[in-house]
Amino acid sequence: MTAHQLAMLSQVQRQTYRKIFRRRAILTLGNNQTSHARTIDISPQDLNIMVDTPLEIGHAASLAFNVTIKQKTTPLEFKGRVSYCVLVGREGFRVGFALAAGDALHKKHIAHIMRESP
């Protein structure tokens, strides 16, 4: 993917509302390899995360993190695919994590995250 194609892709993806959402997370790849990640922001369709090592585009993965819902810490796990991976200086790699079509409960949790105050 060229830089121009990536820029055009990111412009299309950014047409939906995104919410800053910073959490520590655990990323598990299809081969059960786990690594630490940090979430950056969320939309109803995807999350942006930072990781230390590059990931292959198209890889299936799951992302687990905690969120507070109704004053309770709730562990969430979302399945999806890596849509892009870009080196961001010394901070690591910014990864687009496209969420798989989830069940009603996952959609409800995402809607709650999008509504909550910063």
Side-chain angles (χ1 to χ4, degrees):
M1 178 177 286
T2 67
H4 177 70
Q5 290 171 327
L6 182 61
M8 296 305 290
L9 177 64
S10 105
Q11 286 176 359
V12 170
Q13 290 176 344
R14 294 294 177 172
Q15 291 176 355
T16 60
Y17 174 74
R18 304 191 72 79
K19 179 174 176 75
I20 294 173
F21 182 71
R22 301 194 188 259
R23 299 283 189 281
R24 292 182 186 156
I26 300 292
L27 181 71
T28 305
L29 298 174
N31 58 3
N32 290 329
Q33 177 187 358
T34 62
S35 64
H36 293 278
R38 299 177 313 278
T39 64
I40 299 170
D41 60 20
I42 187 170
S43 79
Q45 296 82 21
D46 66 346
L47 283 124
N48 280 323
I49 61 174
M50 292 293 292
V51 295
D52 294 331
T53 58
L55 302 175
E56 285 188 43
I57 295 171
H59 256 150
S62 65
L63 187 69
F65 53 87
N66 292 330
V67 65
T68 303
I69 297 177
K70 295 183 181 177
Q71 300 176 347
K72 292 183 181 177
T73 301
T74 305
L76 297 180
E77 182 175 354
F78 292 98
K79 296 191 183 311
R81 294 201 173 274
V82 175
S83 57
Y84 65 87
C85 181
V86 179
L87 177 63
V88 183
R90 295 182 179 172
E91 297 177 37
F93 294 86
R94 182 181 295 242
V95 174
F97 186 76
L99 299 172
D103 58 15
L105 185 60
H106 279 98
K107 290 178 184 176
K108 182 178 175 183
H109 288 317
I110 291 173
H112 174 79
I113 292 167
M114 297 294 289
R115 279 193 317 268
E116 77 179 7
S117 350

Coordinates of all heavy atoms in Angstrom, one line a residue, residues 14-97:
R14 N -12.2 8.2 8.6 CA -12.4 9.3 9.6 C -13.7 10.1 9.4 O -13.9 11.0 10.0 CB -11.2 10.3 9.5 CG -9.9 9.7 10.0 CD -10.0 9.4 11.4 NE -8.8 8.7 11.8 CZ -8.5 8.5 13.1 NH1 -9.3 8.7 14.0 NH2 -7.4 7.9 13.4
Q15 N -14.5 9.6 8.4 CA -15.8 10.3 8.2 C -16.8 9.9 9.3 O -17.8 10.6 9.5 CB -16.4 10.0 6.9 CG -15.6 10.6 5.7 CD -16.1 10.2 4.4 OE1 -17.0 9.4 4.3 NE2 -15.5 10.8 3.3
T16 N -16.5 8.9 10.1 CA -17.4 8.5 11.2 C -16.8 9.2 12.5 O -15.7 9.5 12.6 CB -17.4 7.0 11.4 OG1 -16.1 6.5 11.7 CG2 -18.0 6.3 10.2
Y17 N -17.7 9.4 13.4 CA -17.4 10.0 14.7 C -16.4 9.0 15.5 O -16.7 7.9 15.5 CB -18.6 10.3 15.5 CG -18.3 10.8 16.9 CD1 -17.8 12.1 17.1 CD2 -18.4 9.9 18.0 CE1 -17.5 12.5 18.4 CE2 -18.1 10.4 19.3 CZ -17.6 11.7 19.5 OH -17.3 12.1 20.7
R18 N -15.4 9.6 16.1 CA -14.4 8.8 16.9 C -14.3 9.5 18.2 O -14.5 10.7 18.4 CB -13.0 8.8 16.2 CG -13.1 8.3 14.8 CD -11.7 8.1 14.2 NE -11.1 6.9 14.9 CZ -11.3 5.7 14.6 NH1 -12.2 5.4 13.6 NH2 -10.7 4.7 15.2
K19 N -14.1 8.7 19.2 CA -13.9 9.2 20.6 C -12.6 8.8 21.1 O -12.1 7.6 20.9 CB -15.0 8.5 21.5 CG -14.9 9.0 22.9 CD -16.1 8.5 23.7 CE -16.0 8.8 25.1 NZ -16.2 10.1 25.4
I20 N -11.9 9.7 21.7 CA -10.6 9.4 22.3 C -10.9 8.4 23.5 O -11.8 8.6 24.3 CB -9.9 10.6 22.9 CG1 -9.5 11.6 21.7 CG2 -8.7 10.3 23.7 CD1 -9.0 12.9 22.2
F21 N -10.1 7.3 23.4 CA -10.4 6.2 24.3 C -9.1 5.5 24.6 O -8.5 4.7 23.9 CB -11.4 5.2 23.7 CG -11.7 4.0 24.5 CD1 -12.6 4.2 25.6 CD2 -11.3 2.8 24.2 CE1 -12.9 3.1 26.4 CE2 -11.6 1.7 25.0 CZ -12.4 1.8 26.1
R22 N -8.5 5.9 25.8 CA -7.1 5.4 26.1 C -7.2 4.4 27.2 O -7.6 4.7 28.3 CB -6.2 6.6 26.5 CG -6.2 7.6 25.3 CD -5.1 8.6 25.5 NE -5.2 9.6 24.5 CZ -4.4 9.6 23.4 NH1 -3.5 8.7 23.2 NH2 -4.6 10.6 22.5
R23 N -6.8 3.2 26.9 CA -6.7 2.1 27.8 C -5.5 1.2 27.5 O -5.1 1.1 26.4 CB -8.0 1.2 27.7 CG -9.3 1.9 28.0 CD -9.6 2.1 29.4 NE -10.9 2.5 29.7 CZ -11.3 3.8 29.6 NH1 -10.6 4.7 29.1 NH2 -12.6 4.1 29.9
R24 N -5.1 0.5 28.5 CA -4.1 -0.6 28.3 C -4.9 -1.8 27.8 O -6.0 -2.0 28.3 CB -3.4 -1.0 29.6 CG -2.5 0.1 30.1 CD -1.8 -0.3 31.3 NE -1.0 0.8 31.8 CZ -0.6 1.0 33.0 NH1 -1.0 0.1 33.9 NH2 0.1 2.0 33.4
A25 N -4.3 -2.5 26.9 CA -5.0 -3.7 26.3 C -4.1 -4.8 26.1 O -2.9 -4.6 26.1 CB -5.7 -3.3 25.0
I26 N -4.7 -6.0 25.8 CA -3.9 -7.2 25.4 C -4.4 -7.6 24.1 O -5.6 -7.8 23.9 CB -4.1 -8.3 26.4 CG1 -3.7 -8.0 27.8 CG2 -3.4 -9.6 25.9 CD1 -2.2 -7.8 28.0
L27 N -3.4 -7.7 23.1 CA -3.7 -8.1 21.8 C -3.3 -9.5 21.6 O -2.2 -9.9 21.9 CB -3.0 -7.2 20.8 CG -3.2 -7.5 19.3 CD1 -4.6 -7.1 18.9 CD2 -2.2 -6.8 18.5
T28 N -4.2 -10.4 21.2 CA -3.9 -11.8 20.9 C -4.1 -12.1 19.4 O -5.2 -11.9 18.9 CB -4.9 -12.7 21.7 OG1 -4.8 -12.3 23.1 CG2 -4.5 -14.2 21.6
L29 N -3.0 -12.5 18.8 CA -3.1 -12.8 17.4 C -3.6 -14.3 17.2 O -3.7 -15.0 18.2 CB -1.7 -12.7 16.8 CG -1.1 -11.3 16.8 CD1 0.3 -11.3 16.3 CD2 -2.0 -10.3 16.0
G30 N -3.9 -14.6 16.0 CA -4.5 -15.9 15.7 C -3.7 -17.1 16.1 O -4.2 -18.2 16.4
N31 N -2.3 -16.9 16.2 CA -1.5 -18.0 16.7 C -1.3 -18.0 18.2 O -0.3 -18.6 18.7 CB -0.1 -17.9 16.0 CG 0.6 -16.6 16.2 OD1 0.1 -15.8 16.9 ND2 1.7 -16.4 15.6
N32 N -2.2 -17.4 18.9 CA -2.2 -17.3 20.4 C -1.0 -16.5 20.9 O -0.6 -16.6 22.1 CB -2.3 -18.6 21.1 CG -3.6 -19.2 20.9 OD1 -4.6 -18.5 20.8 ND2 -3.7 -20.6 20.8
Q33 N -0.3 -15.7 20.1 CA 0.8 -14.9 20.5 C 0.1 -13.6 21.1 O -0.7 -13.0 20.5 CB 1.7 -14.5 19.3 CG 2.8 -13.5 19.7 CD 3.5 -13.1 18.5 OE1 3.3 -13.6 17.3 NE2 4.5 -12.2 18.7
T34 N 0.5 -13.2 22.3 CA -0.1 -12.0 22.9 C 1.0 -10.9 23.1 O 2.2 -11.2 23.1 CB -0.6 -12.3 24.4 OG1 0.4 -12.8 25.2 CG2 -1.7 -13.4 24.3
S35 N 0.5 -9.7 23.0 CA 1.4 -8.6 23.3 C 0.5 -7.4 23.9 O -0.7 -7.4 23.8 CB 2.0 -8.1 21.9 OG 1.0 -7.6 21.1
H36 N 1.3 -6.5 24.5 CA 0.6 -5.4 25.1 C 0.3 -4.3 24.1 O 1.0 -4.2 23.1 CB 1.5 -4.7 26.2 CG 1.7 -5.6 27.4 ND1 0.8 -5.8 28.4 CD2 2.7 -6.5 27.7 CE1 1.3 -6.6 29.3 NE2 2.4 -7.1 28.8
A37 N -0.8 -3.6 24.3 CA -1.2 -2.6 23.3 C -1.8 -1.4 24.1 O -2.1 -1.6 25.3 CB -2.3 -3.1 22.3
R38 N -2.0 -0.3 23.5 CA -2.6 0.9 24.1 C -3.7 1.3 23.1 O -3.4 1.6 22.0 CB -1.6 2.0 24.4 CG -0.5 1.6 25.4 CD 0.5 2.7 25.6 NE 1.0 3.3 24.4 CZ 2.0 2.9 23.6 NH1 2.6 1.7 23.9 NH2 2.4 3.6 22.6
T39 N -4.9 1.5 23.6 CA -5.9 2.1 22.7 C -5.7 3.6 22.6 O -5.2 4.2 23.5 CB -7.3 1.7 23.2 OG1 -7.5 2.4 24.4 CG2 -7.5 0.2 23.4
I40 N -6.1 4.1 21.4 CA -6.0 5.5 21.2 C -7.4 6.1 21.0 O -7.8 7.1 21.7 CB -5.2 5.8 19.9 CG1 -3.8 5.3 20.0 CG2 -5.2 7.3 19.6 CD1 -3.0 5.3 18.8
D41 N -8.2 5.6 20.1 CA -9.6 6.0 20.0 C -10.5 4.9 19.5 O -10.0 3.8 19.1 CB -9.7 7.3 19.1 CG -9.1 7.1 17.7 OD1 -9.1 5.9 17.2 OD2 -8.8 8.1 17.0
I42 N -11.8 5.2 19.5 CA -12.7 4.1 19.1 C -13.8 4.8 18.3 O -14.2 5.9 18.4 CB -13.3 3.5 20.4 CG1 -14.2 2.3 20.0 CG2 -14.1 4.5 21.2 CD1 -14.6 1.4 21.2
S43 N -14.4 4.0 17.4 CA -15.6 4.3 16.6 C -16.5 3.0 16.6 O -16.0 2.0 17.1 CB -15.2 4.7 15.2 OG -15.0 3.6 14.4
P44 N -17.7 3.1 16.2 CA -18.5 1.9 16.1 C -17.9 0.8 15.3 O -18.3 -0.4 15.5 CB -19.8 2.4 15.6 CG -19.9 3.8 15.9 CD -18.5 4.3 15.8
Q45 N -17.0 1.1 14.3 CA -16.5 0.1 13.4 C -15.1 -0.4 13.8 O -14.7 -1.4 13.3 CB -16.5 0.6 12.0 CG -17.8 0.9 11.4 CD -18.4 2.3 11.8 OE1 -17.6 3.2 12.2 NE2 -19.7 2.4 11.8
D46 N -14.3 0.5 14.5 CA -12.9 0.1 14.7 C -12.3 0.8 15.9 O -12.9 1.7 16.4 CB -12.1 0.3 13.4 CG -11.9 1.8 13.0 OD1 -12.7 2.6 13.6 OD2 -11.1 2.1 12.2
L47 N -11.1 0.4 16.2 CA -10.2 1.0 17.2 C -8.9 1.3 16.6 O -8.4 0.6 15.7 CB -10.0 0.0 18.4 CG -11.2 -0.2 19.4 CD1 -11.5 -1.6 19.5 CD2 -10.7 0.4 20.7
N48 N -8.3 2.3 17.1 CA -6.9 2.6 16.8 C -6.1 2.2 18.0 O -6.4 2.6 19.1 CB -6.6 4.1 16.4 CG -7.0 4.4 15.0 OD1 -6.8 3.5 14.1 ND2 -7.6 5.5 14.8
I49 N -5.0 1.5 17.8 CA -4.2 1.1 18.9 C -2.7 1.3 18.6 O -2.3 1.5 17.4 CB -4.4 -0.4 19.3 CG1 -4.1 -1.4 18.1 CG2 -5.8 -0.7 19.7 CD1 -4.1 -2.8 18.4
M50 N -1.9 1.3 19.6 CA -0.4 1.4 19.5 C 0.2 0.1 20.0 O -0.2 -0.4 21.1 CB 0.2 2.5 20.3 CG -0.2 3.9 19.8 SD 0.5 4.3 18.2 CE 2.2 4.4 18.5
V51 N 1.1 -0.5 19.2 CA 1.8 -1.7 19.6 C 3.3 -1.5 19.4 O 3.7 -0.6 18.7 CB 1.3 -3.0 18.9 CG1 -0.1 -3.3 19.2 CG2 1.5 -2.8 17.4
D52 N 4.1 -2.4 20.0 CA 5.6 -2.2 19.9 C 6.2 -2.9 18.6 O 7.2 -2.5 18.2 CB 6.3 -2.8 21.1 CG 6.0 -2.0 22.4 OD1 5.7 -0.8 22.3 OD2 6.0 -2.6 23.5
T53 N 5.5 -3.9 18.1 CA 6.0 -4.6 16.9 C 5.0 -4.5 15.8 O 3.8 -4.4 16.0 CB 6.2 -6.1 17.3 OG1 5.0 -6.7 17.7 CG2 7.3 -6.3 18.3
P54 N 5.5 -4.5 14.5 CA 4.6 -4.4 13.4 C 3.7 -5.6 13.3 O 4.1 -6.8 13.6 CB 5.5 -4.3 12.2 CG 6.8 -4.9 12.6 CD 6.9 -4.7 14.1
L55 N 2.5 -5.4 12.7 CA 1.5 -6.5 12.5 C 1.2 -6.6 11.0 O 1.2 -5.5 10.4 CB 0.2 -6.3 13.3 CG 0.4 -6.1 14.8 CD1 -0.9 -5.8 15.4 CD2 0.9 -7.4 15.4
E56 N 0.9 -7.8 10.6 CA 0.6 -7.9 9.1 C -0.9 -7.5 8.9 O -1.7 -7.9 9.7 CB 0.8 -9.4 8.7 CG 2.2 -9.8 8.5 CD 2.4 -11.2 7.9 OE1 1.6 -11.5 7.0 OE2 3.2 -11.9 8.4
I57 N -1.1 -6.8 7.8 CA -2.4 -6.4 7.5 C -3.3 -7.6 7.2 O -2.8 -8.5 6.5 CB -2.4 -5.4 6.3 CG1 -1.7 -4.1 6.7 CG2 -3.8 -5.1 5.8 CD1 -1.4 -3.2 5.6
G58 N -4.5 -7.7 7.7 CA -5.4 -8.8 7.4 C -5.4 -9.9 8.5 O -6.2 -10.7 8.5
H59 N -4.4 -9.8 9.4 CA -4.3 -10.8 10.5 C -5.6 -10.7 11.4 O -5.9 -9.6 11.8 CB -3.1 -10.6 11.4 CG -2.0 -11.5 11.1 ND1 -0.7 -11.2 11.3 CD2 -2.0 -12.8 10.7 CE1 0.1 -12.3 11.0 NE2 -0.7 -13.3 10.6
A60 N -6.1 -11.8 11.7 CA -7.2 -11.9 12.7 C -6.6 -11.8 14.1 O -5.5 -12.3 14.3 CB -8.0 -13.2 12.5
A61 N -7.3 -11.1 15.0 CA -6.8 -10.9 16.3 C -8.0 -10.6 17.2 O -9.1 -10.4 16.8 CB -5.8 -9.8 16.4
S62 N -7.7 -10.7 18.5 CA -8.7 -10.2 19.5 C -8.0 -9.2 20.4 O -6.8 -9.3 20.7 CB -9.3 -11.4 20.3 OG -8.3 -12.0 21.1
L63 N -8.8 -8.3 20.9 CA -8.3 -7.2 21.8 C -9.1 -7.2 23.0 O -10.3 -7.1 23.0 CB -8.4 -5.8 21.0 CG -7.8 -4.6 21.7 CD1 -6.2 -4.8 21.6 CD2 -8.2 -3.4 21.0
A64 N -8.4 -7.3 24.2 CA -9.1 -7.3 25.5 C -8.7 -6.1 26.3 O -7.5 -5.8 26.3 CB -8.8 -8.6 26.2
F65 N -9.6 -5.5 27.0 CA -9.3 -4.3 27.9 C -10.5 -4.2 28.8 O -11.6 -4.8 28.7 CB -9.1 -3.0 27.1 CG -10.2 -2.7 26.1 CD1 -11.3 -2.0 26.5 CD2 -10.2 -3.1 24.8 CE1 -12.4 -1.7 25.6 CE2 -11.2 -2.8 23.9 CZ -12.3 -2.1 24.3
N66 N -10.3 -3.4 29.9 CA -11.3 -3.2 30.9 C -12.0 -1.8 30.6 O -11.3 -0.9 30.2 CB -10.8 -3.2 32.3 CG -10.3 -4.5 32.7 OD1 -10.8 -5.5 32.2 ND2 -9.3 -4.6 33.5
V67 N -13.3 -1.7 30.9 CA -14.0 -0.4 30.8 C -15.0 -0.4 32.0 O -15.4 -1.4 32.5 CB -14.7 -0.4 29.4 CG1 -15.8 -1.4 29.3 CG2 -15.3 1.0 29.2
T68 N -15.2 0.8 32.4 CA -16.2 1.0 33.5 C -17.6 1.2 33.0 O -17.8 2.2 32.2 CB -15.8 2.2 34.4 OG1 -14.4 2.0 34.9 CG2 -16.7 2.4 35.6
I69 N -18.5 0.3 33.3 CA -19.9 0.4 32.9 C -20.7 0.3 34.1 O -20.6 -0.6 34.9 CB -20.2 -0.7 31.9 CG1 -19.4 -0.6 30.7 CG2 -21.7 -0.7 31.6 CD1 -19.6 -1.7 29.7
K70 N -21.5 1.4 34.4 CA -22.4 1.5 35.5 C -21.6 1.3 36.8 O -21.9 0.5 37.7 CB -23.6 0.5 35.5 CG -24.5 0.8 34.3 CD -25.7 -0.2 34.3 CE -26.6 0.1 33.1 NZ -27.7 -0.8 33.0
Q71 N -20.5 2.0 36.9 CA -19.6 2.0 38.1 C -19.0 0.6 38.4 O -18.6 0.4 39.5 CB -20.3 2.5 39.3 CG -20.8 4.0 39.1 CD -21.6 4.5 40.2 OE1 -22.0 3.8 41.1 NE2 -21.8 5.8 40.2
K72 N -18.9 -0.2 37.4 CA -18.3 -1.6 37.6 C -17.2 -1.7 36.5 O -17.5 -1.4 35.3 CB -19.3 -2.7 37.5 CG -20.3 -2.7 38.6 CD -21.2 -3.9 38.4 CE -22.2 -4.0 39.5 NZ -23.2 -5.1 39.4
T73 N -16.1 -2.3 36.9 CA -15.1 -2.6 35.9 C -15.5 -3.9 35.1 O -15.7 -4.9 35.7 CB -13.7 -2.8 36.6 OG1 -13.4 -1.6 37.2 CG2 -12.6 -3.1 35.5
T74 N -15.6 -3.7 33.8 CA -16.1 -4.8 33.0 C -15.0 -5.2 32.0 O -14.6 -4.3 31.2 CB -17.4 -4.4 32.2 OG1 -18.3 -4.0 33.2 CG2 -17.9 -5.5 31.4
P75 N -14.5 -6.4 31.9 CA -13.6 -6.8 30.9 C -14.3 -7.0 29.6 O -15.4 -7.7 29.5 CB -13.0 -8.1 31.4 CG -14.0 -8.7 32.4 CD -14.8 -7.5 32.9
L76 N -13.8 -6.5 28.5 CA -14.4 -6.6 27.2 C -13.3 -7.3 26.3 O -12.1 -7.0 26.4 CB -14.8 -5.3 26.6 CG -15.9 -4.5 27.3 CD1 -16.1 -3.2 26.6 CD2 -17.1 -5.3 27.4
E77 N -13.8 -8.1 25.3 CA -12.9 -8.6 24.3 C -13.6 -8.5 23.0 O -14.7 -9.0 22.8 CB -12.6 -10.1 24.6 CG -11.6 -10.7 23.6 CD -11.2 -12.1 24.0 OE1 -11.5 -12.6 25.1 OE2 -10.4 -12.7 23.1
F78 N -12.9 -7.9 22.0 CA -13.4 -7.8 20.7 C -12.5 -8.5 19.7 O -11.3 -8.5 19.8 CB -13.4 -6.3 20.3 CG -14.4 -5.5 21.1 CD1 -14.0 -4.7 22.2 CD2 -15.8 -5.5 20.7 CE1 -14.9 -4.0 22.9 CE2 -16.7 -4.7 21.5 CZ -16.3 -4.0 22.6
K79 N -13.2 -9.1 18.7 CA -12.5 -9.8 17.6 C -12.5 -8.9 16.4 O -13.4 -8.1 16.2 CB -13.1 -11.1 17.3 CG -13.0 -12.1 18.5 CD -13.4 -13.5 18.1 CE -13.4 -14.4 19.3 NZ -12.3 -14.4 20.1
G80 N -11.4 -9.0 15.6 CA -11.3 -8.2 14.4 C -10.1 -8.5 13.6 O -9.5 -9.6 13.8
R81 N -9.8 -7.6 12.7 CA -8.6 -7.8 11.8 C -7.8 -6.5 11.8 O -8.3 -5.4 11.9 CB -9.1 -8.1 10.4 CG -9.8 -9.4 10.3 CD -9.8 -9.9 8.8 NE -10.3 -11.2 8.8 CZ -9.6 -12.3 8.9 NH1 -8.3 -12.2 9.1 NH2 -10.2 -13.5 8.8
V82 N -6.5 -6.7 11.5 CA -5.6 -5.5 11.3 C -5.9 -4.9 10.0 O -5.8 -5.6 8.9 CB -4.2 -6.0 11.4 CG1 -3.2 -4.8 11.1 CG2 -3.9 -6.6 12.8
S83 N -6.3 -3.6 9.9 CA -6.6 -3.0 8.7 C -5.4 -2.2 8.1 O -5.3 -2.0 6.9 CB -7.8 -2.1 8.8 OG -7.7 -1.1 9.8
Y84 N -4.6 -1.7 9.0 CA -3.3 -1.0 8.6 C -2.4 -1.0 9.8 O -2.7 -1.2 11.0 CB -3.5 0.4 8.1 CG -4.1 1.4 9.1 CD1 -3.2 2.1 9.9 CD2 -5.4 1.6 9.3 CE1 -3.7 3.0 10.9 CE2 -5.9 2.5 10.2 CZ -5.0 3.2 11.0 OH -5.5 4.1 11.9
C85 N -1.1 -0.8 9.5 CA 0.0 -0.7 10.5 C 1.0 0.3 10.0 O 1.6 0.1 9.0 CB 0.6 -2.1 10.7 SG 1.9 -2.2 12.0
V86 N 1.3 1.3 10.8 CA 2.2 2.4 10.4 C 3.1 2.7 11.5 O 2.7 2.9 12.7 CB 1.4 3.7 10.0 CG1 2.3 4.8 9.6 CG2 0.4 3.4 8.9
L87 N 4.4 2.8 11.2 CA 5.4 3.2 12.2 C 5.2 4.7 12.5 O 5.1 5.5 11.7 CB 6.8 3.0 11.6 CG 8.0 3.4 12.5 CD1 8.0 2.6 13.8 CD2 9.3 3.2 11.8
V88 N 5.2 5.0 13.9 CA 5.0 6.3 14.3 C 6.2 6.7 15.2 O 6.1 6.6 16.4 CB 3.7 6.5 15.1 CG1 3.5 7.9 15.6 CG2 2.5 6.0 14.4
G89 N 7.3 7.1 14.6 CA 8.5 7.5 15.3 C 8.9 6.4 16.3 O 9.0 5.3 15.9
R90 N 9.3 6.9 17.4 CA 9.8 5.9 18.5 C 8.7 5.4 19.4 O 8.9 4.6 20.2 CB 10.8 6.6 19.3 CG 12.0 7.0 18.6 CD 13.1 7.6 19.4 NE 14.2 7.9 18.6 CZ 15.3 8.6 19.0 NH1 15.3 9.1 20.3 NH2 16.3 8.9 18.3
E91 N 7.4 5.9 19.1 CA 6.3 5.4 19.9 C 5.9 4.0 19.7 O 5.2 3.4 20.5 CB 5.1 6.4 19.7 CG 5.4 7.8 20.1 CD 4.2 8.7 19.8 OE1 3.1 8.3 20.0 OE2 4.4 9.8 19.5
G92 N 6.1 3.5 18.5 CA 5.7 2.2 18.1 C 5.0 2.2 16.8 O 5.2 3.1 15.9
F93 N 4.0 1.3 16.7 CA 3.2 1.2 15.4 C 1.8 1.5 15.7 O 1.2 0.9 16.7 CB 3.4 -0.3 14.9 CG 4.8 -0.6 14.4 CD1 5.7 -1.0 15.3 CD2 5.1 -0.4 13.1 CE1 7.0 -1.3 14.9 CE2 6.4 -0.6 12.7 CZ 7.3 -1.1 13.6
R94 N 1.2 2.3 14.9 CA -0.2 2.6 15.0 C -1.0 1.6 14.2 O -0.6 1.5 13.0 CB -0.5 4.1 14.6 CG -2.0 4.4 14.7 CD -2.3 5.8 14.2 NE -1.6 6.8 15.0 CZ -2.2 7.7 15.7 NH1 -3.5 7.8 15.7 NH2 -1.5 8.5 16.5
V95 N -1.9 1.0 14.8 CA -2.6 -0.1 14.1 C -4.1 0.2 14.0 O -4.7 0.6 15.1 CB -2.4 -1.5 14.8 CG1 -3.2 -2.6 14.2 CG2 -0.9 -1.8 14.8
G96 N -4.7 0.0 12.9 CA -6.2 0.1 12.7 C -6.7 -1.3 13.0 O -6.3 -2.3 12.3
F97 N -7.6 -1.4 13.9 CA -8.2 -2.7 14.3 C -9.7 -2.7 13.9 O -10.5 -2.1 14.7 CB -8.0 -3.0 15.8 CG -8.4 -4.3 16.3 CD1 -7.6 -5.4 16.0 CD2 -9.6 -4.5 17.0 CE1 -8.0 -6.7 16.4 CE2 -10.0 -5.7 17.4 CZ -9.2 -6.8 17.2

